[in-house]
Structures are given as C-alpha cells and as structure tokens.
Amino acid sequence: MRLTIAAVGRLAPGPEKMLVEDYLSRANAAGKGMALSPVSLIEIDERKARGQAEQSEKLLAAVSTGSQIMALDERGKNMTSPEFAKLLGRLRDQGIAETCFLIGGADGHSQAIRDRSSLLLSLGPMVWPHMLARVMLAEQIYRAISILGNSPYHRA
C-alpha cells in the first residue's frame, strides 16, 4: 500500500524538512518488505491556492482515484501508536492501494474533505504548526511500520 502525505505549504530547508525526509526515508526502507511503501510527500504551494476552498481543491486533486483519505484535524480521533499501526496493517491487508493523509492550511479542511475522509485523525488535543504536524505524522508512519515489523524502535 502506498502512503502519501499531502500538505498545504512548503517546508523551507531546515530542521523540520530534514526530519520529514529522514522519517520518510526510514519508512520507505522498513516498509518495502511489508507492502507499505512508497511513502511520499506532496506539497501544495499556498501562493497558488489561497483560502480553504482552493487549498481543499488542490489537496483532493493530489489524491489518486480510489485512495483511502484520512484528514488530520484537531477534532479528529486520537489513536495510540499501536492502534494506528493496526489500522494501517488492516487497510493494507484489505487490499487498499493507497492511503493519503491530508494536512490542511491555517483554516483547516473544508467540508468537502471532511466528507471524503474515511477518518479524521488528531495528533492530540493541542494545535500544532503545520510544519511540525508533518514531522509528527511522518514519524508516526515510520513508527507504525516499525510496530508492524516487530522492530525495537517502538517500545511500549
């Protein structure tokens, strides 16, 4: 199963971008043998998509037909890392070709994205800057793959 993070905004060179690239690289290496790769990032340029409606259009356009969509939302479901790993494993085992995680802009997601999403997922009750949300999601994807592969990376 392919995993895609589609996010509004572009990460500038710096520590956040380096962390995202590192976690995606780790996830790709660990996920190959478990049918959980490639893991990729699509960035939507905010200058070309202003406002929630335009950003939502661009995010949905980045999603492949038939993809499972999960939108990150502060009001979404909180999951433990093992629960998230089980969810990804279950989707893979059901034959889902791609799961796409959507990170909206400063105003969040439109109702169109909420309606298309199979799950609204929260990274906790606090609101996080979008650049950190990408890092946290990339790390959780790598952690989920590690859990599914019985790697010592995740120690519960």
Side-chain angles (χ1 to χ4, degrees):
M1 175 172 71
R2 292 182 316 274
L3 300 169
T4 302
I5 299 171
V8 172
R10 294 193 178 275
L11 286 177
E16 295 87 0
K17 185 173 185 149
M18 288 173 50
L19 281 169
V20 168
E21 289 171 351
D22 181 51
Y23 284 124
L24 294 182
S25 175
R26 291 184 195 194
N28 278 313
K32 276 183 186 172
M34 294 186 291
L36 286 169
S37 72
V39 184
S40 60
L41 173 66
I42 298 170
E43 295 182 313
I44 307 299
D45 191 342
E46 287 177 332
R47 295 169 300 186
K48 295 180 181 176
R50 297 189 184 267
Q52 187 186 66
E54 255 186 81
Q55 291 171 358
S56 293
E57 268 181 44
K58 297 274 188 191
L59 283 171
L60 288 173
V63 174
S64 302
T65 304
S67 290
Q68 187 83 15
I69 297 174
M70 295 185 197
L72 270 67
D73 187 288
E74 65 197 42
R75 295 167 301 255
K77 179 178 172 110
N78 286 300
M79 302 178 93
T80 65
S81 296
E83 288 170 339
F84 183 62
K86 283 181 188 175
L87 173 63
L88 291 185
R90 189 172 58 248
L91 293 172
R92 174 201 60 199
D93 295 347
Q94 290 172 351
I96 301 296
E98 180 177 24
T99 297
C100 193
F101 299 91
L102 304 183
I103 300 174
D107 296 323
H109 292 295
S110 69
Q111 192 60 45
I113 285 184
R114 293 172 171 288
D115 291 344
R116 288 264 324 267
S117 297
S118 62
L119 176 69
L120 296 178
L121 180 64
S122 174
L123 295 176
M126 293 181 175
V127 176
W128 296 98
H130 294 131
M131 62 186 172
L132 289 181
R134 278 180 229 191
V135 172
M136 292 165 59
L137 178 58
E139 191 280 337
Q140 283 300 299
I141 289 170
Y142 171 59
R143 184 175 296 272
I145 291 169
S146 296
I147 290 169
L148 292 170
N150 296 316
S151 163
Y153 178 76
H154 178 75
R155 293 178 189 97

